Amino acid sequence: MLTEAVDGFRLAYDRIGEGPAVVLLHGWPGDRTDYRLLAPMLAERGFDVVVPDLRGFGESDAADTDPAQYGVAAQGRSVVGLMEELGLERPVLAGYDVGSRIAQGIARNQSELIDGIVIAPPLPGIGKRVFSEQAQAEFWYQAFHRLPVIEELIDGKPDAVRSYLNHFWTHWSGPGFEPELDHLVDTYSQPGAFTASIQWYRAGAGSVAVSAAETAPPSYDRIAVPTVVLWPEFDPLFPRAWSDRVDDFFSDVRVRYVDGVGHYAPLEYPEILAEEIVGLG
């Protein structure tokens, strides 16, 4: 199914179940099928589950336009448009990676529209630590994504897409996780699809750009909606030591450490995500 256009972008989405609403937001490199395990779990527990492809991903619209149309605010407009079009009343938002940033943006600027958020990293509070030697050895790809040469090397080339995505899915995941990449390789290999997926980084929405510029807000301006942060043990991008400043940015937050898993929340620990979403919903 496709939404009505917001800023010229329609979102493809799946919807299953009945009950309180939940919107699940995927990351990079992924799409809405990241939630193929979690969405049925929530539907079975009595939730109306909506899972979109974000702008520039999967079957949603992409355009060769200003990269700002793919940043946090722009992606948030599309998600809010989806919520309004479907008549979702104060859903819980859940997301990891790119989806986490979008959920935080909506929680910060339109908190009246949602009941709470369940998110995995990235989180604010990293600050200048993002420039440490260890961090830069992991975040190199965000600068690379802003270079035009990446389109020549990867876009529209299935073998290159598979090798590139496989690096991230194997390196960022926890021990023993075996990614299933055939669908993503097919999707990201379509001409222009890989380039559209990295417009998020060209919009300056990646963790390096965001963390370098962040400052803790005054207490009255922190994200106030109920928030659950799930912090995995083996995410090389976001070590647990970086969870120490979460309280500086959220006024109603609980951090839960998840052992034995990596970056890909909905596929590595869907049962825990489901448990926390049910707790908020």
Side-chain angles (χ1 to χ4, degrees):
M1 292 180 281
L2 287 170
T3 66
E4 297 296 323
V6 174
D7 303 334
F9 293 85
R10 299 168 302 166
L11 299 189
Y13 67 94
D14 296 323
R15 186 180 192 182
I16 60 171
E18 297 181 355
V22 178
V23 180
L24 306 177
L25 305 176
H26 66 81
W28 184 94
D31 66 7
R32 71 185 193 269
T33 66
D34 291 359
Y35 289 99
R36 59 187 177 270
L37 302 180
L38 179 60
M41 289 181 187
L42 293 172
E44 290 171 1
R45 299 183 193 191
F47 285 84
D48 177 6
V49 187
V50 179
V51 193
D53 282 329
L54 298 169
R55 289 187 184 187
F57 292 87
E59 296 176 322
S60 290
D61 286 339
D64 184 11
T65 185
D66 181 358
Q69 291 296 325
Y70 294 89
V72 172
Q75 295 278 9
R77 288 195 297 273
S78 283
V79 173
V80 169
L82 168 69
M83 291 160 45
E84 293 175 343
E85 182 177 331
L86 298 184
L88 306 183
E89 295 185 7
R90 296 183 62 85
V92 170
L93 302 184
Y96 81 103
D97 195 87
V98 170
S100 176
R101 291 285 193 197
I102 296 168
Q104 291 171 56
I106 295 170
R108 180 179 299 107
N109 299 312
Q110 295 171 283
S111 61
E112 72 281 1
L113 299 180
I114 62 174
D115 252 1
I117 58 176
V118 179
I119 52 177
L123 273 296
I126 298 170
K128 302 301 183 184
R129 290 179 290 190
V130 77
F131 294 122
S132 68
E133 182 178 354
Q134 180 179 358
Q136 285 300 297
E138 299 294 343
F139 282 108
W140 59 269
Y141 70 97
Q142 297 195 1
F144 183 40
H145 285 178
R146 303 183 75 161
L147 300 177
V149 69
I150 197 171
E151 299 167 35
E152 300 175 30
L153 295 174
I154 297 176
D155 196 280
K157 299 177 173 64
D159 289 344
V161 168
R162 181 176 293 277
S163 295
Y164 197 65
L165 297 192
N166 184 65
H167 165 76
F168 297 105
W169 275 88
T170 55
H171 181 57
W172 290 354
S173 56
F177 180 73
E178 296 183 2
E180 300 174 7
L181 292 181
D182 287 349
H183 165 76
L184 288 181
V185 171
D186 288 344
T187 300
Y188 276 62
S189 294
Q190 299 301 313
F194 181 84
T195 300
S197 82
I198 61 174
Q199 293 286 57
W200 169 262
Y201 302 98
R202 294 177 174 183
S207 290
V208 174
V210 172
S211 298
E214 74 182 13
T215 57
S219 59
Y220 62 80
D221 199 31
R222 295 171 185 166
I223 291 175
V225 303
T227 299
V228 176
V229 173
L230 299 173
W231 209 293
E233 181 179 7
F234 292 114
D235 187 339
L237 294 170
F238 303 105
R240 284 183 173 175
W242 288 2
S243 67
D244 59 344
R245 295 186 59 215
V246 168
D247 287 335
D248 292 342
F249 295 84
F250 298 83
S251 60
D252 182 3
V253 63
R254 175 169 57 86
V255 178
R256 177 175 177 178
Y257 297 114
V258 187
D259 294 335
V261 296
H263 183 74
Y264 298 100
L267 290 171
E268 295 193 68
Y269 49 101
E271 296 88 353
I272 292 175
L273 260 176
E275 176 185 327
E276 296 294 352
I277 291 168
V278 169
L280 280 186

